[in-house]
Amino acid sequence: MTDPTVRQARGTVTVHPRGFGFFTEENTAPPLSSFVIPPELNAFLADDVVEAVITVGDDGRTNASNLKLLERTRTELFGTVVVHRGAAFLKVARE
């Protein structure tokens, strides 16, 4: 990648109960965090280790996209099954 506003990074995912999330890069001090839009999070759980493409906007804010799972730290999930528009989803219980 030659564009200085786009780079790849490795880090962890944090999921907000409202559906969006954040990607926190590994090995940065202070930790660098990038916004992740809800559709990008569908396949991921909190604390998953992923690789992401980080894009820096004109305002300096960063977004993470094209997430790829590298490691899943959870081995069990607990939650409630919720039916929305005829499809069943698992609303994962927070720790």
Side-chain angles (χ1 to χ4, degrees), residues 4-5 7-9 13-14 16 20-21 24 28 30-32 35 37-38 40 42 45 49 61 70 82 84 88 90 95:
T5 63
R7 60 187 165 80
Q8 285 193 308
V13 172
T14 304
H16 189 278
F20 59 87
T24 303
T28 60
L32 298 177
F35 185 75
I37 61 172
E40 288 277 346
N42 286 343
L45 301 171
V49 178
R61 294 181 185 181
L70 300 176
V82 178
H84 180 70
L90 180 65
E95 296 176 65

Side-chain angles (χ1 to χ4, degrees), residues 7-74:
R7 60 187 165 80
Q8 285 193 308
R10 177 184 162 116
T12 56
V13 172
T14 304
V15 180
H16 189 278
R18 290 181 27 202
F20 59 87
F22 293 93
F23 168 81
T24 303
E25 293 183 47
E26 291 181 345
N27 305 319
T28 60
L32 298 177
S33 184
S34 300
F35 185 75
V36 182
I37 61 172
E40 288 277 346
L41 287 175
N42 286 343
F44 301 99
L45 301 171
D47 302 323
D48 279 352
V49 178
V50 300
E51 183 177 81
V53 174
I54 308 301
T55 306
V56 181
D58 292 338
D59 60 0
R61 294 181 185 181
T62 57
N63 292 307
S65 61
N66 298 326
L67 279 64
K68 294 181 183 150
L69 182 65
L70 300 176
E71 179 183 341
R72 175 148 290 152
T73 58
R74 292 179 181 226

